[in-house]
Amino acid sequence: MELETEADGKLEAEVQTETIMEMEREVKTQTEGESVERDPESDTRTGEVKRERETEPVRVCVSGSTPLLWRSADLRLVRERMGIVGTLVGSLARQPRQNCRLGRPLQLQLEEARLLKDTGRAVLVKGAESECDDDRVNVEVEESYTKHLQHSYEEQGRLALEEKKRVLERVMTERFRDDALTDQPIRERLSSLKSSFSFPRSAMMVQLCTARARLGYAPVERDWLAADWTLPRDNKQEVRYRVYQDLRQQGYYITSAGKFGGDYLIYPGDPLRFHAHFIAVCVPIKSESPISDFLCLARLGANVKKTILLCSPSETESEGVIYTSIQWSGMV
Amino acid sequence: MERVGGSAEESGDVAETEGSGAGASGTEGDIPGNWILQHHKYRELMALDVGDTAQVYAAFLVYLDLLEERRWQEVTSRGSAELQLVYLEGRESESQPRQLIVPLPGQRSLSHQGVRSLLSQPGSDGAPSPSLLLAAVAPDSTLAYYRFSRGFVVPEPPDSIQALECGRERRKRRRL
């Protein structure tokens, strides 16, 4: 098992590692379940399995009223194919006490989940709820988890020690072979290895299970588990959704704009590669606001170097959504 | 010299003349306290007979600001019966194109549809302009201008990127 350093907490690395691990695990489960021998032909089968998975709908777990995506393959798929970004809201197992870098699950906006559902790319499944609030049961669960972590830590420590020993031995044999220098210092290190080696807790790998193999993936089961969309659809939601749909269709990437006082932040491409260009404010076309509100928005936009975009779905279907840009004029 | 208060009662709600700087205590000789009401341009705007007094007054203040303060050129006024307001057109300098300026009292409310109907006003060349300047006039006569445009207007890049590009240009020049 390869040990990672915790300094590398970037999204890409985590998603990639876990994607690979999960995909390997899932393919293994699939092949075990169907008793297919590992032979050259199975590579094509793996390819087929991968392609099938990409066209299969993604499972969105609705926890309370919050749509969540758990599997890293799904996160990748929706981002690459549908341009849906979402927000990571989970703690990292090895860096829990910070919110600078977060991990899975990916929280989707209501509009994102609705778009996935309407285009058939996802099914909404009710998320698992906590079965009981009994503190005693929770304490037991916590104890067994801590024990499991401790066991894993000891095993990883043991494997790390063996790996280090192997490395030192290899270095020793190579140096001895190359030039007849004494390998005394290395021998000394090797002998004192067991006593001097320490495996830091922060370097431990922690596996978080985010999917259960062979449960709920068959189409019949999945459809049975699928929930109806039970979230309220008021006028404001409708306006937001229509704007979201239209912007997504035009190819923009959209995230939530809570920090900026608007509805959405609009990017010309993936948010990892670009700054946002616009702050979208969704308003019904006929609703009136005081001019001082426009002033606030314009000033905000000027401060953060983004254009404010007023977005209103038109009342006639043919016109789609109407956009007006507001910029501070800079005439002081 | 007439007092400002007295003249305000006569002319209805045009009482906010404090911003004009020509208060009742002016000792400039012939300039009356209600000089705005007697200004030829103000009378011309009133004579258009569109818009309420507050909007016409706002238009007048913006007119003065553009001409006297910002030295805009060819500033003309037009009335729109359809929208019931007075608006202005002008050029920032010789090289700039003509722009539409819509003065509005700050307490007014506006809808997105209202903004779009302002944008659809034809300019002097007959075609609707792609953008307009909205001049919001506060009760204390403070003016704030912002630009409304149709569609998506990409903003300027952030400072870090501008600095990067400036740096690149400077380095290129040094090499040459």
Side-chain angles (χ1 to χ4, degrees):
Chain A
M1 216 174 1
E2 222 179 278
L3 300 173
E4 296 176 345
T5 52
E6 192 41 57
D8 188 17
K10 289 183 188 158
L11 167 68
E12 294 252 280
E14 184 163 331
V15 170
Q16 265 171 14
T17 318
E18 297 192 25
T19 310
I20 293 164
M21 276 170 61
E22 256 206 45
M23 279 171 72
E24 281 175 357
R25 205 183 318 121
E26 282 189 26
V27 167
K28 209 170 150 194
T29 317
Q30 203 114 15
T31 50
E32 272 171 10
E34 296 168 46
S35 322
V36 171
E37 299 279 341
R38 274 236 173 239
D39 60 4
E41 280 182 351
S42 78
D43 288 332
T44 13
R45 206 171 147 73
T46 314
E48 277 174 23
V49 162
K50 275 189 198 158
R51 271 192 297 281
E52 270 172 29
R53 205 183 307 118
E54 279 166 6
T55 52
E56 221 175 76
V58 141
R59 279 160 61 103
V60 172
C61 296
V62 182
S63 176
S65 61
T66 311
L68 300 171
L69 271 183
W70 284 95
R71 293 171 57 199
S72 51
D74 292 348
L75 265 71
R76 245 195 131 102
L77 189 79
V78 299
R79 193 165 182 135
E80 287 172 4
R81 295 296 170 86
M82 303 283 296
I84 287 181
V85 178
T87 321
L88 290 171
V89 294
S91 311
L92 293 177
R94 286 179 292 174
Q95 281 184 332
R97 302 182 75 126
Q98 51 86 30
N99 62 2
C100 196
R101 298 223 178 271
L102 295 173
R104 288 172 294 155
L106 187 80
Q107 182 172 328
L108 299 175
Q109 292 184 68
L110 297 179
E111 293 80 29
E112 291 170 324
R114 192 170 151 187
L115 185 70
L116 282 173
K117 180 168 184 264
D118 288 352
T119 51
R121 299 305 293 259
V123 285
L124 270 49
V125 171
K126 226 169 145 72
E129 279 159 28
S130 166
E131 273 153 13
C132 78
D133 290 321
D134 192 351
D135 276 342
R136 278 175 291 134
V137 175
N138 285 345
V139 162
E140 281 173 25
V141 166
E142 203 181 307
E143 273 175 14
S144 80
Y145 179 68
T146 320
K147 248 191 252 166
H148 159 77
L149 270 186
Q150 181 62 25
H151 174 75
S152 170
Y153 170 71
E154 284 161 7
E155 184 168 342
Q156 287 185 42
R158 193 175 46 78
L159 289 168
L161 180 61
E162 280 173 23
E163 179 72 28
K164 183 123 192 198
K165 222 195 300 185
R166 267 200 295 269
V167 164
L168 282 177
E169 281 170 359
R170 188 174 65 230
V171 164
M172 202 168 69
T173 47
E174 277 173 13
R175 285 195 66 175
F176 188 64
R177 194 179 54 234
D178 285 349
D179 42 19
L181 286 175
T182 174
D183 54 10
Q184 190 56 26
I186 299 182
R187 269 194 209 281
E188 280 173 11
R189 267 179 82 186
L190 206 57
S191 55
S192 68
L193 190 58
K194 203 151 189 178
S195 52
S196 64
F197 182 75
S198 72
F199 182 59
R201 199 101 196 183
S202 59
M204 181 176 86
M205 272 185 85
V206 177
Q207 181 179 47
L208 295 172
C209 299
T210 57
R212 284 180 293 178
R214 285 177 288 193
L215 183 69
Y217 288 95
V220 173
E221 274 187 64
R222 190 188 58 220
D223 293 338
W224 180 71
L225 285 170
D228 284 327
W229 186 264
T230 52
L231 292 159
R233 286 200 192 187
D234 57 11
N235 196 29
K236 175 89 183 143
Q237 292 289 343
E238 286 300 318
V239 165
R240 283 181 59 125
Y241 182 60
R242 274 194 66 187
V243 172
Y244 183 87
Q245 242 183 338
D246 192 70
L247 286 169
R248 196 68 282 290
Q249 220 165 11
Q250 294 192 37
Y252 291 101
Y253 282 67
I254 303 153
T255 59
S256 166
K259 276 193 240 179
F260 293 90
D263 286 306
Y264 302 123
L265 275 181
I266 315 286
Y267 297 78
D270 193 296
L272 285 172
R273 298 168 59 212
F274 294 91
H275 281 284
H277 280 179
F278 305 101
I279 300 173
V281 177
C282 306
V283 288
I285 192 130
K286 292 198 171 146
S287 101
E288 292 200 341
S289 331
I291 289 183
S292 51
D293 282 7
F294 294 118
L295 184 70
C296 288
L297 291 174
R299 269 295 198 182
L300 168 66
N303 270 345
V304 296
K305 293 249 182 185
K306 298 183 206 309
T307 301
I308 304 293
L309 203 62
L310 265 190
C311 314
S312 303
S314 136
E315 290 183 338
T316 54
E317 273 302 318
S318 55
E319 278 181 40
V321 179
I322 296 177
Y323 300 101
T324 305
S325 298
I326 311 178
Q327 289 170 298
W328 184 249
S329 82
M331 284 165 57
V332 178
Chain B
M1 207 184 309
E2 287 178 274
R3 287 182 55 80
V4 170
S7 64
E9 280 164 27
E10 288 169 22
S11 62
D13 57 350
V14 185
E16 295 104 352
T17 50
E18 52 268 43
S20 66
S25 57
T27 47
E28 298 270 336
D30 309 343
I31 302 175
N34 64 344
W35 64 271
I36 286 183
L37 303 179
Q38 296 175 14
H39 197 284
H40 72 94
K41 189 66 188 178
Y42 180 77
R43 290 186 179 193
E44 190 188 316
L45 297 179
M46 283 298 274
L48 291 171
D49 204 23
V50 285
D52 58 14
T53 332
Q55 202 270 324
V56 172
Y57 179 68
F60 180 68
L61 287 183
V62 174
Y63 176 83
L64 283 183
D65 183 61
L66 291 177
L67 275 183
E68 302 280 336
E69 180 63 38
R70 301 178 190 282
R71 314 273 177 196
W72 276 41
Q73 310 193 357
E74 303 167 23
V75 182
T76 56
S77 54
R78 293 193 26 205
S80 162
E82 179 195 326
L83 298 170
Q84 280 295 302
L85 49 78
V86 174
Y87 60 93
L88 306 170
E89 266 186 295
R91 213 187 271 279
E92 203 170 342
S93 63
E94 289 287 332
S95 48
Q96 301 283 340
R98 274 176 83 72
Q99 298 187 55
L100 201 66
I101 305 107
V102 179
L104 284 178
Q107 305 97 306
R108 280 255 186 117
S109 292
L110 206 52
S111 68
H112 194 178
Q113 196 174 52
V115 171
R116 272 313 176 114
S117 54
L118 289 173
L119 274 168
S120 63
Q121 285 299 294
S124 50
D125 54 356
S129 46
S131 76
L132 63 78
L133 266 182
L134 188 96
V137 184
D140 64 356
S141 307
T142 312
L143 300 172
Y145 295 90
Y146 26 97
R147 187 174 294 286
F148 284 85
S149 320
R150 253 186 270 269
F152 296 76
V153 175
V154 177
E156 282 174 24
D159 289 333
S160 53
I161 294 181
Q162 280 179 346
L164 200 67
E165 285 172 4
C166 278
R168 271 200 212 124
E169 281 173 27
R170 253 183 266 128
R171 262 181 266 129
K172 273 193 199 152
R173 262 185 245 132
R174 268 196 224 125
R175 263 188 242 138
L176 290 173

